[in-house]
Amino acid sequence: MIITPLAGASWQFRAAASSSPWLPATVPGCVHTDLQAAGKIPDPFLADREKALQWIGETDWEYRAHFTVPPAALIGEVTELVSDCLDTVATVRLNGPIIGRSDNMFTAHRWPVGRLLRAGRNELRIVFHSAEQYLRTRRTGFTPPKEYCDPVGNAVRLRKQPSQFGWDWAPRLVTAGIWRDLRLESWTGNRLAGAHLAQHHHADGRVDLAVTPRFARAGRPPEVLVQCL
């Protein structure tokens, strides 16, 4: 497998659908820390500054990076963009076309991208749509019970870090960004996607482990029996 790291690329960000200049970004990270690093906002955790920074959660944000793929990765049978998690409502584009969407901060994704990759310069763009707008317009048929930690309410309509919406120990800072690793994985043949482990305990203390691998490509996976004495 050939892994092309993308978190360390030269990332930039700005308010989406705007003509504002691109600013440097850090991945993994979030828009609040990127804005602070760029000198656009003060430290949001001091005093009551959170009140003047609620516009950040109301804004759509766009991140982009340019990268080059190793030649060996371009000839692999399968190349996937692997996202360990995006925060949160995101649309992902590679060299123009949309390759994936996400609305769960805690879910990883694998998107096939081999047909879109180019020799030389590639561009990855991720638009993070306002979580505040999402809560007001999506899943409105679900009315949650009173939320004591969220002064606005309805945060449970979205799979997102609850403390961003206010907590007894945290301000209300609804952020967005690439909060875990991002990379390309290129491979040929098959890939181990997971495994199921079953235990059988004997009266004499021995334990049999039956390990059933799960592969990315359909086929007849072998069964592995490991005996521990």
Side-chain angles (χ1 to χ4, degrees):
M1 177 181 291
I2 298 173
I3 297 177
T4 305
L6 297 178
S10 296
W11 284 90
Q12 298 175 307
F13 82 108
R14 68 179 182 183
S18 74
S19 58
S20 58
W22 290 94
L23 299 171
T26 299
V27 174
C30 74
V31 68
H32 281 76
T33 53
D34 288 334
L35 286 168
Q36 187 179 355
K40 299 300 182 181
I41 63 170
D43 185 342
F45 291 98
L46 290 179
D48 62 350
R49 289 175 177 173
E50 64 170 304
K51 296 178 182 178
L53 299 178
Q54 294 306 302
W55 61 272
I56 299 174
E58 298 285 352
T59 305
D60 294 348
W61 297 96
E62 183 175 16
Y63 280 70
R64 74 174 183 182
H66 298 105
F67 62 93
T68 301
V69 182
L74 292 171
I75 62 175
E77 292 180 358
V78 178
T79 299
E80 297 169 310
L81 175 66
V82 183
S83 164
D84 285 344
C85 290
L86 301 173
D87 182 13
T88 297
V89 186
T91 300
V92 184
R93 293 178 179 269
L94 178 61
N95 293 328
I98 295 175
I99 61 168
R101 302 180 191 272
S102 178
D103 62 358
N104 188 331
M105 180 180 177
F106 310 109
T107 300
H109 296 279
R110 285 181 173 271
W111 294 298
V113 296
R115 61 184 179 83
L116 295 174
L117 288 174
R118 306 167 179 164
R121 188 174 185 263
N122 293 267
E123 182 183 67
L124 180 63
R125 290 197 182 212
I126 304 177
V127 173
F128 293 95
H129 308 280
S130 166
E132 299 280 29
Q133 294 285 348
Y134 182 99
L135 296 177
R136 288 193 289 267
T137 59
R138 301 287 294 275
R139 299 176 181 171
T140 55
F142 168 60
T143 303
K146 182 175 176 58
E147 299 166 88
Y148 291 93
C149 292
D150 177 4
V152 177
N154 295 321
V156 296
R157 289 178 177 170
L158 182 61
R159 290 288 292 149
K160 185 172 173 65
Q161 180 181 335
S163 61
Q164 292 183 15
F165 297 94
W167 215 254
D168 56 351
W169 48 265
R172 194 175 200 277
L173 299 171
V174 182
T175 195
I178 306 168
W179 80 285
R180 296 189 69 183
D181 191 36
L182 195 68
R183 62 194 177 276
L184 292 174
E185 292 187 0
S186 306
W187 47 276
T188 297
N190 216 332
R191 176 180 61 82
L192 182 65
H196 177 267
L197 276 70
Q199 302 181 29
H200 177 70
H201 293 256
H202 297 272
D204 59 4
R206 292 181 300 111
V207 179
D208 293 334
L209 294 179
V211 182
T212 305
R214 179 170 56 86
F215 294 99
R217 284 180 162 179
R220 186 166 186 167
E223 291 189 1
V224 180
L225 180 64
V226 179
Q227 188 175 58
C228 300
L229 301 178

